[in-house]
Amino acid sequence: MSLFRKSLASLGIGAAKVDTVLQRDVLIPGEALPVSIHVHGGETAQAVSNIHLFLCCRYEEEVASSRGDSQHRTEKVSQTCTLATWSLPEAFTIEVGEERLFDAELALPFNTPITIGDAKVWLETHLDIPLAFDPKDKDILTVRPDPLMDGVFTALEQAGLRIRQVECEAADGFELPFVQEFEFVPVSGPFHGRWRELEVVAYRDSDGLQLWFEVDRRLNGLSGMLSGFLGRGELKRQCHVPATTCPQQAGEMILDYLDQAT
């Protein structure tokens, strides 16, 4: 029976299970994410080589597409980026019916995507069990803007701009393989009638917040303006907000900059 149970456990039947509990419901880039990892023993003892945590998100990348003709085409492909990882420093054995608890902490990178629009961020937990099915757990995370970005978003909203679309696009020259792009439309306020849309790319580091802007004044507009610039490294109209700036001042700085630059 023991051998039979071990065989079933190797297929994931009656095997150990893992459940990760987040200690915070709302996360902010640049801060720590504390978690508790609960490992529940199954119907047979199992050796666990490691526990791995992966903080992940998706982004879009344009790749060449071949359809059997001479025309050059591109298509958007969804890619997964691992933002941060954590591993247990030692192996252990989980006995029948045993429960074990491990505490871990992941540092969220400054440029972890804000989870609005199509942006998704999740935490995967893997039990590494040799020669067996590896139990997994997946938790969807809620990521809100850090204070500087929140100050900028608040100011744009108060100026009559509304977020229409948010995308994570592949880009070179940054710490991560992508940047997050925010598309705004003016529905009232000083920019209504002057612009059709505003696209913003934000990049955060310990020195502060770097922002790039592209304004479309034409009636028919262009979709994904910044994604084209990103691929050629031609982003312009950039503004740097120092890390020591208070959120309200950050928002005022951006509005003044946009008013003068456009």
Side-chain angles (χ1 to χ4, degrees), residues 109-130:
F110 277 123
N111 294 286
T112 298
I114 299 166
T115 52
I116 55 178
D118 293 333
K120 298 292 186 295
V121 178
W122 68 93
L123 182 67
E124 289 186 10
T125 308
H126 295 232
L127 285 187
D128 186 357
I129 301 178

Side-chain angles (χ1 to χ4, degrees), residues 60-63 74-78 165 167-169 224 227:
E60 300 295 320
E61 183 177 17
E62 288 193 354
V63 299
T74 61
E75 61 180 353
K76 282 192 174 184
V77 176
S78 182
Q165 187 173 359
E167 294 181 316
C168 292
E169 298 275 355
S227 61

Side-chain angles (χ1 to χ4, degrees), residues 13-76:
I13 302 172
K17 299 183 183 299
V18 62
D19 179 36
T20 298
V21 178
L22 308 179
Q23 299 303 314
R24 294 172 52 195
D25 294 331
V26 178
L27 309 173
I28 296 176
E31 295 187 352
L33 167 58
V35 300
S36 296
I37 306 167
H38 299 259
V39 182
H40 306 273
E43 297 179 4
T44 186
Q46 288 183 287
V48 180
S49 297
N50 215 321
I51 300 176
H52 302 287
L53 295 179
F54 303 94
L55 180 67
C56 304
C57 72
R58 292 199 187 278
Y59 66 95
E60 300 295 320
E61 183 177 17
E62 288 193 354
V63 299
S65 175
S66 175
R67 299 184 182 178
D69 54 35
S70 59
Q71 296 185 10
H72 297 286
R73 297 184 177 90
T74 61
E75 61 180 353
K76 282 192 174 184

Side-chain angles (χ1 to χ4, degrees), residues 140-213:
I140 303 298
L141 306 183
T142 300
V143 183
R144 294 293 179 245
D146 72 275
L148 281 183
M149 277 298 297
D150 189 53
V152 172
F153 285 159
T154 299
L156 292 175
E157 183 177 4
Q158 291 175 348
L161 291 150
R162 299 292 181 268
I163 290 181
R164 179 166 64 185
Q165 187 173 359
V166 181
E167 294 181 316
C168 292
E169 298 275 355
D172 296 324
F174 297 91
E175 182 180 2
L176 297 174
F178 67 90
V179 291
Q180 193 166 24
E181 176 185 333
F182 304 88
E183 182 181 304
F184 294 84
V185 291
V187 296
S188 63
F191 304 111
H192 187 237
R194 291 170 58 185
W195 305 343
R196 180 183 179 272
E197 64 184 29
L198 169 71
E199 292 190 0
V200 182
V201 163
Y203 180 76
R204 182 74 160 87
D205 58 24
S206 58
D207 293 330
L209 178 65
Q210 192 81 5
L211 296 163
W212 291 267
F213 304 96

Side-chain angles (χ1 to χ4, degrees), residues 70-114:
S70 59
Q71 296 185 10
H72 297 286
R73 297 184 177 90
T74 61
E75 61 180 353
K76 282 192 174 184
V77 176
S78 182
Q79 306 283 12
T80 298
C81 175
T82 300
L83 299 163
T85 61
W86 178 91
S87 295
L88 189 71
E90 59 185 20
F92 65 96
T93 297
I94 185 73
E95 301 292 342
V96 176
E98 182 186 7
E99 293 190 13
R100 298 191 64 167
L101 175 65
F102 301 90
D103 292 322
E105 189 172 271
L106 281 169
L108 270 69
F110 277 123
N111 294 286
T112 298
I114 299 166

